[in-house]
Amino acid sequence: MCWYGRVPSTPRIRTSHWSLARQLLILQLTVLLVLVAGGITIAYLDAKRSTTDRAREQSLAVARAIADAPDVARAVSTADPTGTLQPYAQRVLADTNVDFVTIMSPQGIRYTHPNPALIGRRFLGHIEAAQGGGVVTEVYTGSLGPSVRAVVPVFDARHRVVALVGVGITIAAISAELQDRVWPLLGVAAAVLLVGACGGWLVSARLKRQTRGIAPAELSNLFEYHEAVLHSVREGVLLVGRDGRIGLCNDGARTLLGLSGDPVGRALPELGLPPELIAAFTAPETRTEELHLTDARVLLVSTTLVRSGGRAQGTVVTLRDHTELQTLTGELTTARSLSEALRSQAHEAANRLHTVVSLVELGRPEDAVEFATAELALAQELTDRVMDAVAEPVLAALLLGKAAEASERGVEFTITPDTVIDDLGPGVEGRDLVTILGNLVDNSIDAAVRGAGGRPAVVVTARSGEDGLLLRVADNGPGIPEDAGEDLFRRGWSTKADEGHGLGLALVAQAVRRYGGSIDVGGEGGAVFTVRLPRQEAPR
């Protein structure tokens, strides 16, 4: 899967189910209603309890104050207690927030009452504890209806119970006070409910925009499809944020980049990638199928900017493995070189054959034989030299082809006498040597042809030993610029003016790194490249 050009938008899924945003809104409102209702209930019960307790305490306090008054104890011993105590009780009712004050005999016969018609009748309620000198507090339904009341004894000088005082506040009065406290509570609850509903609606609207109104089931399916597709494709897919950190990385990208562990959330420089690759990933412009090299692979990199509201939000990077194709291209180039070499040799052979025929027609057969023998010996000498020294057939064919190509381009091609490759050693592949030696020879031939003067020349040494392989290619061209430095083996670096070059030395460096080898560059009056590959037991 490759993404090039404009990033496609996520398709809108039509669904008859409630969206995730709507479900979240309903859940938020339900929770909010339950919490507000629970809070109101708890607050109401607490207010009711505290109001009732305060009414009980107030009734008890007023009853004790009346019982402790000396005039009350004296009045009950007179012939007409009601005449003295009824006006007193009326004044107490006017000065306090109680609903009734009843002063009675120890047997419970009323001396006073808010309703004078009830004076002389028995008090409705429990007075047994008060008759014994204790205190009674209770909720009881009397002549004025349900009330919270307190009954206390009145003692004389000899601490005898001579009367009882009952004081109460009706439940209706308590309910009215409680109602006054509940209305502000309901107002606060309504405000909380309104604010919570508005907040939930705003969150739901934002979530709806972000999820595009998709229901949870479809959203789950989308995620599963996304994961299945993303991690099943062989191509690599990366999302790089504006801060240079990986936002998404599929299995293909991890494999192609040789990453260990999960790179999501890590910065690009922490991944050990080549600087050119990091620059491509964070480039401010779109790039299509750029060729880049890692330590082990040749990659085609395409990048597409992701924009939102006119602002770049990141980059979508797609990677394709070009290693095998590049190898096949190199092998095709080698085959083409061999074909060109054969064509050149055929052309030269035809010229020589015409020369021999012409000498015979001129009646000079001895000169014809001498000419043919000399040319055959020269060609056979080079072939025998290469075949005897190089046991790897692909490498031998490469050297013969390059020799023919150099001859056609007027370059003296020399293979040093110490060139001997009996065994490549375990773990070394012939095609990698073709990549290394072929690119070095091609560059040297081109450099020798561009040389300042004298006959162009290229000298090749290929030697195997106990410590590994040594490949050396020297030319008498213009040499390597002093300011080349590490850029010499960077993709795109070249001394040639035309485009399409700058990959050969990068491929050489990649192959050398894969085997843990080294490249030395030097030379005076030309360039000398020396590659050393240590002997290995297994390929890297």
Side-chain angles (χ1 to χ4, degrees):
M1 179 184 69
C2 298
W3 297 349
Y4 305 129
R6 186 176 62 87
V7 177
S9 60
T10 303
R12 177 66 178 268
I13 296 180
R14 299 291 181 181
T15 174
S16 59
H17 302 290
W18 283 359
S19 66
L20 180 62
R22 179 177 294 181
Q23 292 186 27
L24 180 62
L25 177 60
I26 293 176
L27 178 62
Q28 287 176 325
L29 293 179
T30 303
V31 172
L32 187 61
L33 283 172
V34 171
L35 291 177
V36 171
I40 291 176
T41 302
I42 294 173
Y44 174 79
L45 293 176
D46 182 70
K48 182 178 181 181
R49 180 186 57 79
S50 62
T51 303
T52 303
D53 291 344
R54 189 171 66 254
R56 182 180 291 110
E57 293 171 358
Q58 185 177 358
S59 299
L60 182 61
V62 173
R64 283 176 171 170
I66 295 174
D68 291 340
D71 293 340
V72 174
R74 285 194 299 268
V76 297
S77 61
T78 63
D80 184 17
T82 301
T84 304
L85 296 177
Q86 179 69 5
Y88 175 75
Q90 294 293 335
R91 290 196 300 273
V92 172
L93 283 175
D95 294 339
T96 61
N97 291 325
V98 297
D99 293 316
F100 70 86
V101 174
T102 299
I103 303 173
M104 68 197 85
S105 68
Q107 291 76 30
I109 303 301
R110 300 187 184 104
Y111 295 141
T112 66
H113 194 275
N115 184 2
L118 299 179
I119 296 175
R121 296 185 181 182
R122 183 173 295 278
F123 178 78
L124 300 179
H126 299 92
I127 61 174
E128 292 80 5
Q131 289 173 333
V135 175
V136 176
T137 57
E138 64 176 350
V139 177
Y140 194 85
T141 301
S143 59
L144 300 179
S147 62
V148 176
R149 57 183 59 187
V151 180
V152 300
V154 177
F155 298 100
D156 61 5
R158 297 164 61 181
H159 201 72
R160 291 180 302 176
V161 177
V162 294
L164 301 176
V165 178
V167 178
I169 300 175
T170 61
I171 296 297
I174 295 175
S175 298
E177 182 181 353
L178 180 61
Q179 185 176 1
D180 292 339
R181 298 181 61 182
V182 167
W183 282 116
L185 183 63
L186 292 177
V188 172
V192 170
L193 188 61
L194 179 62
V195 173
C198 293
W201 181 83
L202 292 175
V203 172
S204 176
R206 178 179 178 85
L207 183 62
K208 184 176 181 180
R209 288 195 303 270
Q210 293 179 339
T211 60
R212 305 192 179 190
I214 301 175
E218 282 74 16
L219 192 62
S220 176
N221 289 338
L222 268 181
F223 179 77
E224 292 176 358
Y225 297 156
H226 168 270
E227 289 294 305
V229 173
L230 187 65
H231 294 289
S232 63
V233 296
R234 293 181 57 190
E235 288 78 5
V237 179
L238 290 170
L239 291 181
V240 181
R242 287 187 302 168
D243 56 356
R245 294 185 177 274
I246 301 295
L248 181 146
C249 179
N250 71 339
D251 298 339
R254 282 197 291 267
T255 300
L256 294 178
L257 296 177
L259 303 179
S260 58
D262 188 3
V264 175
R266 298 171 60 187
L268 287 174
E270 299 176 5
L271 303 179
L273 300 177
E276 296 83 4
L277 203 56
I278 295 177
F281 287 177
T282 56
E285 71 279 350
T286 297
R287 300 189 177 189
T288 303
E289 294 193 347
E290 276 192 356
L291 201 63
H292 286 269
L293 277 75
T294 65
D295 288 345
R297 296 181 183 273
V298 180
L299 302 177
L300 285 178
V301 178
S302 298
T303 62
T304 302
L305 294 181
V306 179
R307 296 186 179 274
S308 177
R311 259 180 98 186
Q313 299 297 320
T315 305
V316 177
V317 181
T318 55
L319 307 172
R320 285 199 297 158
D321 192 0
H322 200 62
T323 306
E324 295 296 330
L325 183 58
Q326 188 65 38
T327 301
L328 292 176
T329 302
E331 294 177 355
L332 179 61
T333 302
T334 301
R336 185 177 297 168
S337 298
L338 294 176
S339 176
E340 290 295 324
L342 292 176
R343 183 193 61 78
S344 301
Q345 289 180 348
H347 185 268
E348 289 298 319
N351 290 335
R352 294 175 187 131
L353 182 59
H354 286 307
T355 302
V356 171
V357 171
S358 298
L359 288 174
V360 172
E361 289 177 349
L362 291 174
R364 302 174 64 179
E366 295 83 4
D367 293 338
V369 171
E370 181 181 356
F371 177 79
T373 303
E375 290 296 325
L376 181 61
L378 183 61
Q380 190 63 38
E381 179 183 0
L382 177 61
T383 301
D384 293 342
R385 173 76 185 88
V386 172
M387 297 304 296
D388 291 341
V390 180
E392 173 61 37
V394 175
L395 197 58
L398 175 69
L399 291 174
L400 289 176
K402 296 303 179 184
E405 180 183 353
S407 176
E408 183 181 14
R409 298 181 63 179
V411 177
E412 181 181 354
F413 190 84
T414 304
I415 298 176
T416 59
D418 60 341
T419 296
V420 177
I421 297 183
D422 296 327
D423 181 19
L424 293 180
V428 179
E429 297 184 8
R431 65 179 183 178
D432 289 329
L433 293 186
V434 169
T435 297
I436 297 173
L437 195 57
N439 282 289
L440 291 179
V441 171
D442 285 340
N443 288 344
S444 294
I445 291 176
D446 291 339
V449 171
R450 297 196 311 271
R455 183 178 180 183
V458 173
V459 180
V460 176
T461 301
R463 187 170 65 243
S464 63
E466 292 298 329
D467 55 347
L469 293 173
L470 181 141
L471 305 175
R472 180 180 291 117
V473 180
D475 63 71
N476 61 348
I480 302 299
E482 295 182 358
D483 59 348
E486 295 296 330
D487 292 337
L488 182 64
F489 298 101
R490 180 176 54 82
R491 182 192 64 83
W493 188 92
S494 178
T495 58
K496 302 171 186 178
D498 55 332
E499 296 183 359
H501 295 282
L503 184 61
L505 288 179
L507 290 173
V508 170
Q510 182 192 60
V512 171
R513 283 196 302 269
R514 189 158 55 243
Y515 288 99
S518 63
I519 307 176
D520 295 328
V521 182
E524 295 182 1
V528 178
F529 289 84
T530 303
V531 175
R532 292 179 174 85
L533 302 180
R535 179 172 288 274
Q536 301 177 43
E537 296 300 328
R540 293 194 174 186

